[in-house]
Amino acid sequence: MIAAAQDKKQIVSTNFNTDDIMRLVLKADSVKSHREQTKELAKQFATTYDGMRRLWEFVKKGVRYTADPPDKQYVRSPARAWQDRNIGTDCKSFTLFITSVIQNLGLPYIIRFAGYEGNPTQNPTHVYPIAILPNGQQVILDAVWHYFDSEKPYKFKIDMERRELAYLTGVEEDIKAKQAAVKQSIESFSFARATPGQIDLHLKRQGFIIHEIQRSTDAKFVTDAAYQMTLALGYTNAVNGIIDAVKQKVIDLALKVLMPSAAPFFFYVPVPDNNLNAKQLAKKVKQMRVVNFILPLVNLNLAQFSALVSNEIKKKAGKDPNTIVIEAKQGIRGIGSVAAIMTVIGIAQKVIPFVIDIVKKIGDAFKKSPAEQNEIVNSANESAFVSPADFEAPQHQPQQPPQNTQNIPAQNTQNTQQPPIDGRPPSGGTPPPPPPPPPAAASSGSGMMPILLAAGAAYFLLSK
């Protein structure tokens, strides 16, 4: 009924993040041999709502749920998931097992990556499939969750629609059309007129594209994912009616044109305080003076501004500021490498004029006094700029900053490292009552709790 596994283990990467896991899940979902492994099994299920209930119950009751360990992430083929059904597997392999059956049934479906904390600038921690019946009805098949056709309420999601034509033919024209749509959306995006949720997703999309362009050769995966984010963005004009045309133009000029060059000045802003030494913290204090002037005027919060800075620096240096700081602290990179990164980022004399230009243009548009603008401009000097010498400070120093680094909500002072997709959305609270209709098929199942992604961890593709 289900093909036997061959106990093969392929190490895909030993240095990865959540985007890598998402990419591996989607690539594994496209492997034709995985569909063959459940071809006979699929004959038991009809392409109806009740058929999907039986499929969900088959996996829910027949395959044990076990979270992957923090230092390894496994993606199992359907045959391997079935072989390990008494040992247990997690949401990634649950998803691939169910989608292989759905493929055999000839139904389109969605793979949903969901996050339960923070916002789309962070990473999803759970994945599950949604079948699309012939009548267009969507049926949620999360075998980790307690109820059929139900899901834990999420704070954000990334939906990847899977239709056979899209991933089997790889039509070049389709990829080009999607790339053009993404490009047009990015170019027309207005920070001034977007909602906070749209800004979050735009920054998530920007960070994803930067990361994948530097690491991936899979143009189709990058295009499909960016296109789905673009569809989810649902960008519409004139969302924020309180911003007039002049201010909108200035804000978008500052954040889209000037910020790519100004971002290195704000190097330490995205880095949690507890990752910085005393010298670095002192510079962050100075950088935050400029940030605190800008943020109330440009329709961004601190988390969004930090994501914007991180994206621009990663575009230049190949790594975000927090990664650079952590690797330097751990000795993964020597001071010479840090100096090379600083060279790529730029020198203070070239960066600071862009910071001053942002302050003055925004200050003028929002009628800030010359005295107030000059006070901020004076803070934007070389003493606040990151340098290789910052990384030479002793590592065992008091971790408290000489001053409070920010006077705005502190959500971004937390470490922004995200948990992997381990099959468990965050725990806490009691499950909601089963949604009517249909009546709930309550079953046992663990709570859902993310685990931190360990540095240097490995994840594996366990295949037939």
Side-chain angles (χ1 to χ4, degrees):
M1 186 168 64
I2 299 175
Q6 296 180 359
D7 297 323
K8 293 181 179 180
K9 179 172 71 176
Q10 176 187 352
I11 300 177
V12 178
S13 176
T14 57
N15 184 17
F16 66 96
N17 62 19
T18 303
D19 286 335
D20 297 321
I21 300 173
M22 290 172 61
R23 180 171 65 249
L24 184 59
V25 169
L26 294 173
K27 291 185 73 171
D29 182 62
S30 300
V31 176
K32 186 176 181 180
S33 63
H34 291 174
R35 181 198 310 187
E36 295 297 319
Q37 294 168 12
T38 59
K39 187 174 182 179
E40 291 300 313
L41 174 68
K43 296 176 181 179
Q44 299 184 20
F45 308 107
T47 58
T48 63
Y49 190 81
D50 186 62
M52 294 301 97
R53 181 196 296 277
R54 293 184 62 235
L55 173 58
W56 178 84
E57 289 176 343
F58 180 88
V59 178
K60 180 72 174 176
K61 298 176 180 179
V63 183
R64 180 181 178 182
Y65 169 77
T66 302
D68 285 342
D71 60 337
K72 295 180 176 67
Q73 289 290 300
Y74 298 103
V75 177
R76 292 170 170 83
S77 69
R80 184 60 181 267
W82 183 248
Q83 175 179 286
D84 293 348
R85 62 189 180 277
N86 295 322
I87 299 172
T89 185
D90 77 345
C91 66
K92 301 184 296 295
S93 302
F94 275 14
T95 296
L96 293 176
F97 189 98
I98 292 172
T99 59
S100 71
V101 174
I102 296 174
Q103 289 176 28
N104 281 303
L105 295 175
L107 293 176
Y109 56 96
I110 293 167
I111 294 180
R112 173 165 293 170
F113 297 92
Y116 303 85
E117 296 179 352
N119 53 57
T121 62
Q122 299 175 302
N123 291 317
T125 56
H126 187 45
V127 59
Y128 50 94
I130 301 172
I132 303 175
L133 300 182
N135 64 2
Q137 181 181 4
Q138 295 187 2
V139 184
I140 301 168
L141 300 174
D142 184 358
V144 179
W145 186 232
H146 308 278
Y147 310 113
F148 167 68
D149 196 19
S150 177
E151 60 192 341
K152 183 179 178 71
Y154 48 78
K155 288 198 173 180
F156 65 90
K157 64 180 174 68
I158 300 173
D159 282 353
M160 304 297 292
E161 187 168 355
R162 310 292 276 176
R163 294 184 182 271
E164 196 164 338
L165 176 65
Y167 70 81
L168 290 182
T169 63
V171 179
E172 184 177 353
E173 291 77 9
D174 181 61
I175 293 178
K176 289 181 179 178
K178 289 179 178 178
Q179 289 174 339
V182 172
K183 181 180 178 182
Q184 190 277 332
S185 174
I186 292 173
E187 290 177 348
S188 64
F189 185 85
S190 170
F191 283 95
R193 296 193 295 183
T195 66
Q198 289 171 329
I199 292 173
D200 285 338
L201 192 51
H202 171 73
L203 292 170
K204 175 71 176 179
R205 175 180 62 180
Q206 182 188 52
F208 171 82
I209 292 173
I210 292 169
H211 174 78
E212 291 300 329
I213 286 176
Q214 292 174 347
R215 299 190 54 176
S216 177
T217 58
D218 189 345
K220 182 183 181 303
F221 166 77
V222 177
T223 300
D224 283 346
Y227 182 69
Q228 291 297 328
M229 292 181 195
T230 299
L231 293 179
L233 191 87
Y235 181 72
T236 55
N237 288 327
V239 172
N240 191 338
I242 65 172
I243 300 296
D244 62 40
V246 174
K247 291 177 180 176
Q248 176 200 332
K249 183 176 180 180
V250 171
I251 289 174
D252 287 330
L253 172 66
L255 299 182
K256 296 180 69 174
V257 179
L258 299 178
M259 182 55 74
S261 297
F265 175 82
F266 304 102
F267 182 89
Y268 291 122
V269 171
V271 183
D273 288 0
N274 61 346
N275 285 346
L276 300 175
N277 61 37
K279 186 181 295 186
Q280 294 163 342
L281 280 166
K283 290 191 174 183
K284 182 175 179 178
V285 170
K286 297 177 180 180
Q287 295 169 12
M288 284 301 304
R289 289 174 185 159
V290 183
V291 174
N292 287 333
F293 174 83
I294 294 174
L295 285 188
L297 308 177
V298 297
N299 198 30
L300 294 184
N301 60 39
L302 181 56
Q304 293 165 342
F305 186 87
S306 296
L308 181 60
V309 170
S310 291
N311 287 344
E312 295 298 344
I313 289 177
K314 187 170 184 179
K315 189 188 301 182
K316 295 174 182 291
K319 298 176 183 178
D320 62 87
N322 196 40
T323 299
I324 295 171
V325 169
I326 290 174
E327 290 188 352
K329 182 187 293 187
Q330 294 177 344
I332 297 176
R333 302 293 186 206
I335 296 301
S337 294
V338 172
I341 289 173
M342 295 303 108
T343 300
V344 173
I345 288 176
I347 59 174
Q349 292 88 337
K350 291 185 177 181
V351 172
I352 290 176
F354 289 96
V355 179
I356 294 173
D357 202 12
I358 290 175
V359 170
K360 288 189 171 294
K361 280 183 167 54
I362 292 176
D364 289 342
F366 286 86
K367 302 187 184 306
K368 296 297 179 179
S369 69
E372 188 174 0
Q373 292 184 43
N374 289 336
E375 181 181 354
I376 300 303
V377 165
N378 291 336
S379 299
N381 56 52
E382 292 187 34
S383 68
F385 199 77
V386 62
S387 73
D390 299 351
F391 298 86
E392 297 172 357
Q395 298 302 312
H396 301 290
Q397 295 191 22
Q399 292 299 307
Q400 294 300 319
Q403 303 178 48
N404 186 8
T405 61
Q406 49 196 305
N407 296 314
I408 52 184
Q411 69 269 24
N412 214 59
T413 61
Q414 301 300 315
N415 194 318
T416 56
Q417 187 178 22
Q418 296 299 308
I421 303 173
D422 72 337
R424 299 181 294 178
S427 63
T430 58
S443 61
S444 61
S446 68
M448 303 182 187
M449 181 189 318
I451 51 178
L452 288 179
L453 179 63
Y459 65 90
F460 305 88
L461 172 61
L462 303 184
S463 61
K464 175 184 174 185

